[in-house]
Amino acid sequence: MLFWILVAALTAALAVILLYPLLRGAKAADNIRAGEAAVYRDQLRELDRDLDGGLITPEEADYARAEIGRRLIAVSADEPAETPKPARHHRFTEAFVLLVLPVLGLCLYLTTGRPDLPSQPLEARLENPGNDVAVLIAKAERHLAEKPDDGKGWDVLAPIYFRTMRVNDAQLAYRNAIRLLGPSPVRLDGLAETLMAVSDGVVTEEARQVLEQSLTLEPDNPRARFYIALSMEQAGRPNEARQAFEALAKQSPSDAPWLPLVNQHIAMNGGAPAGTNPAAPGADPAAPGARPAAPGNPTQQDVAAAETMSAGNQQQMIRGMVESLDAKLSEDPNNFEGWMRLVRSYAVLNDKDRAAGALKRGLAAFPPPGEQGRQLLTLARELGIATEGATQ
């Protein structure tokens, strides 16, 4: 009931605001004419005083009195003809404001609004948040403000913070969960990923220490092993990184979801992706049963040549492979794994502009509404690549 009272009051206030200039129009015109006539009469009285005081001659007084009288007669003559017009002129507008506008507003609300929906203050929404993530987070924050030593609450809230890109809050939540509940591989990996998100995808020394602690609790933890290998790659140690990625690939099942990404890094660091069946030395690559190399992956000859190169030459060779992959994807853009590899490769080479360009082209082939497009955007955020203009 209170809602409808407020609606009626707001409607009445709006109608008064709109009608005030219209209702005031006739009175304003009368006031203006009356004011002009009063001014002219004052001028006549002042003229008589000046004449009595000898300030002007009788001839000047007669001329001025004739001019003022003419203006006074003109103003007085307009009063009967102009007075009734404003009241008749605005009747339709007044009726429109008073009747049609409120009815239109009511019909629009009944069509698009929910008059049957009961009011639900914040307290009620916190008690029954449903699927509203913002309300769920607010409810958890309110609980933790009252009970800051609830480790389970911090443990639940930390990954939610991370998924909503509140990385600083996620870092604090993971640290509190580890402090209160003790370290676990899941918590330590989450904290490491948060530290990397804060540093724009770089595996910092603190993140590496957290990952190594995770490996002491779970030596076969693929996530921690991947990020440690990535830290070697980012530090410019391609041989160590390749060996770490190859060891992870050998440990992983053939259908592991992270294996394609591991293979990309193996190739970027001069190795042969796991699961390929390279031809034996001297065999014909075109022979039946020989599997072609994936676009942009190094051949066995490339790997052999890379082993004898210096670090600078190896980096130049990797860049050439990335550019070759870029050219192949330009010819055939329907290669999702290729776009994932290209974006990450440019990011590893610290070429953010080309990484952003590759992301935009990849999203043109695999739009964001699809699962593959969302994976490309997720990868870009992990690597610290701007995604604002990539979807346009």
Side-chain angles (χ1 to χ4, degrees):
M1 186 63 184
L2 177 61
F3 172 76
W4 293 110
I5 294 174
L6 291 174
V7 169
L10 289 174
T11 304
L14 182 61
V16 169
I17 293 172
L18 294 175
L19 287 174
Y20 178 72
L22 304 178
L23 297 174
R24 184 176 174 272
K27 295 180 180 179
D30 291 339
N31 293 336
I32 290 172
R33 283 188 289 272
E36 290 179 354
V39 169
Y40 293 141
R41 292 189 182 96
D42 288 340
Q43 288 178 350
L44 288 173
R45 286 191 291 269
E46 186 176 355
L47 188 62
D48 291 337
R49 288 193 298 269
D50 291 344
L51 180 61
D52 294 340
L55 298 177
I56 59 175
T57 65
E59 292 78 9
E60 291 174 339
D62 290 339
Y63 177 78
R65 187 178 291 107
E67 179 62 23
I68 295 172
R70 184 186 65 79
R71 294 181 182 179
L72 180 59
I73 292 171
V75 171
S76 301
D78 288 340
E79 290 183 8
E82 296 292 334
T83 300
K85 287 185 179 179
R88 293 195 302 268
H89 182 68
H90 297 296
R91 279 178 184 167
F92 177 77
T93 306
E94 293 168 3
F96 180 80
V97 171
L98 287 174
L99 299 176
V100 179
L101 279 183
V103 171
L104 286 176
L106 180 62
C107 292
L108 182 63
Y109 173 69
L110 293 176
T111 302
T112 61
R114 289 286 307 277
D116 59 316
L117 191 66
S119 60
Q120 194 173 20
L122 179 60
E123 187 71 27
R125 283 184 284 136
L126 289 175
E127 292 178 0
N128 185 23
N131 295 324
D132 192 332
V133 176
V135 177
L136 286 170
I137 292 176
K139 184 177 181 180
E141 289 174 337
R142 184 175 179 178
H143 169 75
L144 290 172
E146 298 173 355
K147 299 180 180 179
D149 292 332
D150 183 2
K152 291 184 178 179
W154 291 111
D155 201 29
V156 170
L157 192 57
I160 298 176
Y161 276 149
F162 185 74
R163 285 195 295 270
T164 55
M165 300 307 296
R166 294 174 57 178
V167 290
N168 291 322
D169 292 332
Q171 182 181 162
L172 176 63
Y174 273 120
R175 292 187 188 278
N176 285 334
I178 293 171
R179 174 177 58 85
L180 296 169
L181 301 179
S184 72
V186 173
R187 297 184 193 110
L188 292 170
D189 292 349
L191 176 58
E193 288 183 331
T194 303
L195 293 171
M196 286 184 281
V198 172
S199 60
D200 295 327
V202 176
V203 185
T204 61
E205 182 60 28
E206 183 183 6
R208 181 184 172 89
Q209 292 175 1
V210 172
L211 292 167
E212 289 175 347
Q213 183 182 359
S214 176
L215 282 179
T216 60
L217 300 176
E218 186 181 350
D220 293 333
N221 182 350
R223 182 184 300 181
R225 294 183 65 180
F226 174 84
Y227 286 130
I228 288 178
L230 182 62
S231 71
M232 300 174 185
E233 180 181 284
Q234 292 176 348
R237 292 146 53 191
N239 291 332
E240 296 179 36
R242 185 187 71 246
Q243 293 173 4
F245 282 122
E246 288 175 344
L248 175 58
K250 290 179 182 178
Q251 167 203 320
S252 303
S254 59
D255 58 347
W258 60 83
L259 191 57
L261 185 58
V262 173
N263 283 334
Q264 292 176 23
H265 285 275
I266 293 174
M268 287 168 52
N269 290 281
T276 58
N277 184 25
D284 182 5
R291 294 179 57 180
N297 285 346
T299 64
Q300 292 300 309
Q301 290 82 1
D302 293 336
V303 176
E307 293 176 351
T308 62
M309 290 181 179
S310 64
N313 290 336
Q314 286 181 352
Q315 191 73 4
Q316 186 176 0
M317 178 181 177
I318 292 172
R319 183 172 287 277
M321 291 163 50
V322 173
E323 291 175 353
S324 174
L325 174 61
D326 195 334
K328 291 178 180 178
L329 288 172
S330 298
E331 297 175 0
D332 181 17
N334 297 320
N335 181 355
F336 170 68
E337 296 296 338
W339 288 115
M340 293 282 287
R341 186 186 316 153
L342 184 63
V343 171
R344 185 176 288 277
S345 299
Y346 278 134
V348 171
L349 293 173
N350 203 25
D351 194 341
K352 292 296 180 69
D353 291 337
R354 289 194 177 183
L359 174 65
K360 187 172 184 178
R361 290 154 52 204
L363 290 174
F366 300 95
E371 177 65 26
Q372 294 169 323
R374 290 197 296 269
Q375 290 184 35
L376 279 168
L377 288 174
T378 301
L379 174 65
R381 295 188 187 100
E382 291 176 356
L383 298 174
I385 300 170
T387 60
E388 286 76 10
T391 57
Q392 296 178 355

